Amino acid sequence: MEDVEEALRSALLLALSGDNEAYVAFLTRTGAHLRSYFRRRLASSPNDVEDLVQETLLAIHNRRHTFEPTARLMPWLYAIARYKLIDLLRAQSPRRAIEVALDDDEGIAELVHADASPAETRRDLARLLDALPDRYRLPIVLVKLEGRSVAEAAQATGISQAAIKVGIHRGLKKLAAIVAKRR
Amino acid sequence: MKTEALIAMLANGPVQVAPGAVARRVLAAVAVGGAVALGVVLAALRLRPDLAAAVHAPMFWLKLAVPVVVAALAIVAVRRLARPGGRAGPVVAIGAVLAVVLAAFAVADVALAPAGERAAIVLGRTALPCVVLVTALSLPGLAALFVALRSLAPTRLRAAGAAAGALAAGVGAAIYALHCNEMTLPFVAVWYALGMAVPAALGALLGPRWLRWS
């Protein structure tokens, strides 16, 4: 997470001091983050995702003078992305806009982790899962990632079905806590 | 348009920006608003005739200090709220504490005064003009600050509008103090405060609609 912040931030700072190649790199990588961030938020209207990515990149460009060089970049990017998302949702349905508005700062970590390449996401996830004990990790890997049923997972691991369910539930809670702490 | 094409287009023009744009634009707006308000006071309202003598009275400076402190706190809030994700921050709490202190001194002032003078030191002779003129003198600054904020990128629009209103009000009230000849703390604590609350409320009311940028 720190690497994303640092990498993007230094690219933007280079760009703002006149390095246009760094700017292309910054926008491309930011666009990839935005794409998976919006994709998750707009599951029901995937056609809007790319439009919103472009609109947000344009807003970042037009408002780049509001980035303070000493400040953190991710909260700034996230605030613009969220502002654009709420704008779109408000046009479609006021209720959804309110829901997004309410979930305030939830999403910074999500934006950071909303990585461009699936491979990178998988690596991040693997690192996170490593922090869990087996009794939580295995149920999550088998059921949530590999898509097996609870019964199959129970058979494969020799744990009871009830324990698999509990393991998933507690494991996901723990993961959320880890992610929240990293933020 | 494909996203890569958009990125290439954006990176094709000049990307460099001078640092400090937020501070510059906010200060410019304050300068414009303050200049207009000062012009109105000098040309239409007139400075208080006894200004040369009044500057020796501590109350003159205290009356000036209250709106100046409001403006100083509000400018911090505006600069923070002008950026995506920015919050007003601790200045709100500091302002609340100072307001309580001011109110306490004002109440003590009234309590210590002889019973027959209490109403007079609160009401003064110019309560209504004070509220109306402080509000009116704040409006140029409020307009200039809204223009500035629209060129920046606030994401908490109501808070940004309120902070802009408070900043404009602090500047407007400080300039009005050059015209006003009331010399009691309770008067300032009630009528200046009310006159400054109106532009702040107006800013909060208009912010969500007028500060929207795209």
Side-chain angles (χ1 to χ4, degrees):
Chain A
M1 173 168 168
E2 287 312 311
D3 338 332
V4 177
E5 161 77 29
E6 262 324 296
L8 282 180
R9 192 162 163 273
S10 48
L12 178 59
L13 289 181
L14 278 176
L16 292 182
S17 57
D19 180 343
N20 287 30
E21 265 170 54
Y23 199 45
V24 172
F26 166 78
L27 289 176
T28 305
R29 193 151 174 208
T30 299
H33 280 275
L34 293 171
R35 195 167 296 117
S36 45
Y37 172 74
F38 287 139
R39 209 176 272 153
R40 204 163 321 167
R41 298 282 162 129
L42 292 172
S44 54
S45 48
N47 296 335
D48 292 333
V49 170
E50 205 56 32
D51 283 350
L52 200 52
V53 168
Q54 295 192 1
E55 254 193 63
T56 308
L57 288 176
L58 196 59
I60 288 169
H61 176 76
N62 287 335
R63 307 284 152 166
R64 63 192 186 282
H65 55 275
T66 66
F67 179 65
E68 192 178 26
T70 55
R72 288 173 61 80
L73 173 68
M74 282 332 245
W76 183 81
L77 279 182
Y78 169 66
I80 296 177
R82 184 165 159 274
Y83 182 85
K84 282 286 158 190
L85 178 63
I86 291 174
D87 249 7
L88 174 83
L89 295 178
R90 183 173 293 144
Q92 291 173 347
S93 128
R95 230 201 67 190
R96 278 208 63 197
I98 290 167
E99 281 165 17
V100 174
L102 285 179
D103 110 70
D104 211 19
D105 287 343
E106 277 302 289
I108 296 181
E110 218 183 295
L111 179 61
V112 173
H113 280 276
D115 252 303
S117 67
E120 226 172 299
T121 310
R122 234 175 285 134
R123 222 179 312 129
D124 264 5
L125 189 58
R127 219 179 305 138
L128 273 178
L129 282 169
D130 276 344
L132 292 181
D134 281 356
R135 64 181 188 284
Y136 297 155
R137 187 169 47 87
L138 286 176
I140 292 177
V141 169
L142 291 172
V143 178
K144 290 291 169 190
L145 298 183
E146 294 180 6
R148 300 203 214 179
S149 72
V150 172
E152 283 168 347
Q155 215 170 16
T157 55
I159 312 177
S160 76
Q161 292 200 23
I164 293 279
K165 285 185 201 160
V166 170
I168 293 172
H169 180 70
R170 293 205 183 139
L172 289 179
K173 246 185 169 170
K174 259 204 142 144
L175 279 185
I178 294 170
V179 171
K181 220 187 285 165
R182 282 196 183 181
R183 209 173 73 190
Chain B
M1 194 198 310
K2 291 191 64 176
T3 302
E4 295 95 86
L6 174 76
I7 290 175
M9 192 191 84
L10 294 180
N12 202 23
V15 172
Q16 194 164 8
V17 292
V22 172
R24 260 200 321 277
R25 292 182 199 189
V26 171
L27 286 175
V30 168
V32 168
V36 173
L38 188 61
V40 171
V41 166
L42 292 177
L45 297 176
R46 309 288 174 196
L47 298 174
R48 55 187 292 180
D50 61 344
L51 188 61
V55 295
H56 299 296
M59 189 54 225
F60 174 82
W61 296 104
L62 195 54
K63 190 173 67 174
L64 204 57
V66 170
V68 167
V69 168
V70 169
L73 291 174
I75 202 168
V76 175
V78 169
R79 286 179 54 179
R80 295 176 54 126
L81 287 162
R83 296 193 159 89
R87 296 167 181 277
V91 294
V92 177
I94 297 172
V97 169
L98 291 178
V100 170
V101 171
L102 176 65
F105 275 105
V107 168
D109 231 13
V110 174
L112 294 175
E117 289 173 23
R118 284 180 189 162
I121 65 171
V122 176
L123 297 175
R125 276 152 291 122
T126 57
L128 184 63
C130 170
V131 175
V132 172
L133 290 172
V134 166
T135 298
L137 291 173
S138 305
L139 293 180
L142 186 60
L145 280 166
F146 264 49
V147 170
L149 281 174
R150 285 174 61 92
S151 82
L152 299 168
T155 53
R156 289 182 174 80
L157 304 184
R158 194 174 296 283
L167 174 50
V171 173
I175 289 168
Y176 177 74
L178 303 176
H179 160 77
C180 158
N181 55 14
E182 301 283 352
M183 290 295 255
T184 74
L185 190 62
F187 184 90
V188 175
V190 174
W191 305 110
Y192 273 66
L194 198 59
M196 290 191 284
V198 173
L202 197 62
L205 198 69
L206 299 177
R209 184 163 311 176
W210 288 9
L211 294 180
R212 205 141 261 297
W213 49 274
S214 57

